[in-house]
Amino acid sequence: MFVKTIKGLNGVLEKTSTGICLYKHEMVSEMASPIRVAVTGAAGNIGYALAFRLASGEVFGPDQPVHLNLIEIPPAISALDGVEMELDDCAFSTLAGVTKVDSDHLEEGFGDCNFVLCVGSVPRGKGMERGDLIRINGPIFTNTGKAIQAAAAKDVRIVVVGNPCNTNCLIAMNNAPDIPRDRWYAMMMLDQNRAKTQLAQKSGQPVSSVSKMTIWGNHSATQFPDYFHAEIGGTPAPEVIKDDAWLQNDFIPIVQKRGAAVINARGASSAASAANAALDTVKSIISVTPENETFSAAVCSDGSYGVDEGLIFGFPLQSDGATSKIVQGQEHNEFAQQKIDATLKELREERDTVKDLLN
């Protein structure tokens, strides 16, 4: 492939043999080498909400430049032009460059990326069963996994946001066998944030007082928001709220069905809160988790808690800033175990639906 480069006052225009024009802003900086972050579906509502916060220095710090690889399907490339214009107009000192790529050329989009945020996926339509959605998105994430393996940086870490995120992550991971399995995450942080807010509001405490809130299993209506191990102001949540009926019959369904409630209220799915949760996930991965805290994400199971090895399952995690590990030793009563078993059953069924896509 040839690359023709035309330099100008504000950047570099590259025209490749594939016909793609990549406009790369090259900012002179005395800061560290840029972290390169790819975002699929970058012109969509979630991608749009992500891009500016990634560029601003909020996630990786004020002294760490970021180069954004923004990926979209060909019909949305013109909308991506507008995103780039707005990024220009923000004049972020930490934005080292922008590369726009259409999704027909994923290897270019993931080239040398240290983080990949897989936001783009086909949404569930009216009358569509979950299994139908899984089969539609499966080939997309097959190609995504292969392209990440072929082109991303050796230290790449991947966060899958597009639903059904657990199984989309499973498909991509299995099509990138050379990338260590501890680099793959599916987003459960949105559910964790929702659950923390519900506990805070019920207890009359600030959301910052809620800790150790784990979402077990699948990012779906079977997920289990584990209030038993959550704490409010350092005290077990059930001892603060003291309302088992509310915790079992209201709290759990509210969290499980919050996404549907948002759609019913605003006529569109969660966007700003989903983007916020994706960034919270990245921050949790790259930061040292406080000793008495955990965070939620779905990761490749090592067999912990009786979960099938290789499934992408939501667990309580801690990070040392480089690697995340499943927190061990939590015990569950019969009620909690039944909830975990139900979400495990669903993920097994999803895995079986796409078994032909798993290498």
Side-chain angles (χ1 to χ4, degrees):
M1 181 187 77
F2 72 84
V3 178
K4 183 178 180 182
T5 301
I6 305 170
K7 294 186 177 180
L9 292 177
N10 297 315
V12 177
L13 178 66
E14 294 185 353
K15 186 172 183 180
T16 73
S17 59
T18 60
I20 305 171
C21 287
L22 309 179
Y23 187 78
K24 300 185 177 182
H25 301 276
E26 301 296 344
M27 298 178 65
V28 178
S29 175
E30 299 299 326
M31 296 188 285
S33 298
I35 289 176
R36 191 174 287 261
V37 182
V39 180
T40 70
N45 289 335
I46 297 174
Y48 181 83
L50 281 171
F52 300 90
R53 293 175 66 183
L54 286 167
S56 71
E58 172 191 336
V59 178
F60 298 103
D63 298 320
Q64 176 59 63
V66 175
H67 188 113
L68 294 179
N69 281 22
L70 303 180
I71 303 167
E72 258 299 355
I73 58 175
I77 289 296
S78 60
L80 201 56
D81 292 339
V83 176
E84 181 187 30
M85 291 178 195
E86 289 202 78
L87 285 166
D88 285 345
D89 295 347
C90 288
F92 293 122
S93 63
T94 45
L95 181 58
V98 175
T99 300
K100 297 179 297 182
V101 183
D102 76 59
S103 58
D104 290 337
H105 302 89
L106 285 176
E107 287 190 20
E108 292 192 41
F110 298 141
D112 297 322
C113 283
N114 310 103
F115 267 92
V116 174
L117 304 183
C118 296
V119 177
S121 66
V122 175
R124 187 170 178 173
K126 185 177 181 180
M128 187 184 294
E129 298 296 330
R130 188 174 178 87
D132 297 332
L133 182 65
I134 292 169
R135 288 302 309 180
I136 291 171
N137 279 307
I140 296 173
F141 283 85
T142 297
N143 294 333
T144 295
K146 291 177 179 178
I148 291 172
Q149 175 166 291
K154 296 299 183 183
D155 64 348
V156 66
R157 284 175 279 186
I158 305 99
V159 177
V160 178
V161 177
N163 284 318
C165 62
N166 295 60
T167 297
N168 287 342
C169 184
L170 178 72
I171 294 167
M173 181 185 72
N174 277 273
N175 282 275
D178 294 342
I179 297 177
R181 290 190 161 194
D182 63 2
R183 306 281 185 80
W184 296 88
Y185 300 82
M187 190 176 76
M188 307 294 287
M189 187 66 73
L190 178 55
D191 310 299
Q192 175 183 307
N193 289 344
R194 289 166 169 168
K196 289 176 70 173
T197 297
Q198 292 300 315
L199 292 179
Q201 291 178 349
K202 180 65 174 179
S203 65
Q205 301 297 315
V207 72
S208 59
S209 70
V210 182
S211 61
K212 299 183 180 178
M213 183 66 241
T214 297
I215 308 296
W216 295 84
N218 201 4
H219 176 63
S220 75
T222 68
Q223 63 178 259
F224 174 51
D226 182 5
Y227 62 85
F228 292 103
H229 291 95
E231 295 181 356
I232 303 173
T235 300
E239 294 182 19
V240 175
I241 293 177
K242 297 181 180 179
D243 187 345
D244 289 342
W246 181 83
L247 288 166
Q248 294 186 12
N249 302 322
D250 295 305
F251 167 71
I252 292 175
I254 287 171
V255 178
Q256 290 174 332
K257 300 175 183 179
R258 186 69 166 185
V262 170
I263 291 172
N264 289 335
R266 67 183 293 264
S269 59
S270 303
S273 58
N276 180 70
L279 298 180
D280 281 349
T281 302
V282 174
K283 293 174 188 176
S284 295
I285 292 168
I286 64 176
S287 303
V288 177
T289 309
E291 184 177 355
N292 294 318
E293 181 62 293
T294 63
F295 70 96
S296 296
V299 296
C300 184
S301 173
D302 58 5
S304 295
Y305 296 99
V307 176
D308 307 26
E309 186 174 350
L311 274 183
I312 301 294
F313 195 89
F315 290 104
L317 304 176
Q318 289 185 327
S319 175
D320 63 6
T323 303
S324 301
K325 293 185 178 180
I326 299 168
V327 174
Q328 301 294 329
Q330 293 193 4
E331 297 181 357
H332 300 103
N333 62 20
E334 183 179 358
F335 175 85
Q337 190 60 55
Q338 287 177 349
K339 295 295 185 183
I340 292 172
D341 290 345
T343 196
L344 175 56
K345 178 176 181 292
E346 182 180 58
L347 280 170
R348 286 170 173 163
E349 291 170 350
E350 291 188 11
R351 176 192 58 196
D352 292 344
T353 298
V354 298
K355 61 185 178 182
D356 58 310
L357 302 177
L358 307 179
N359 290 334

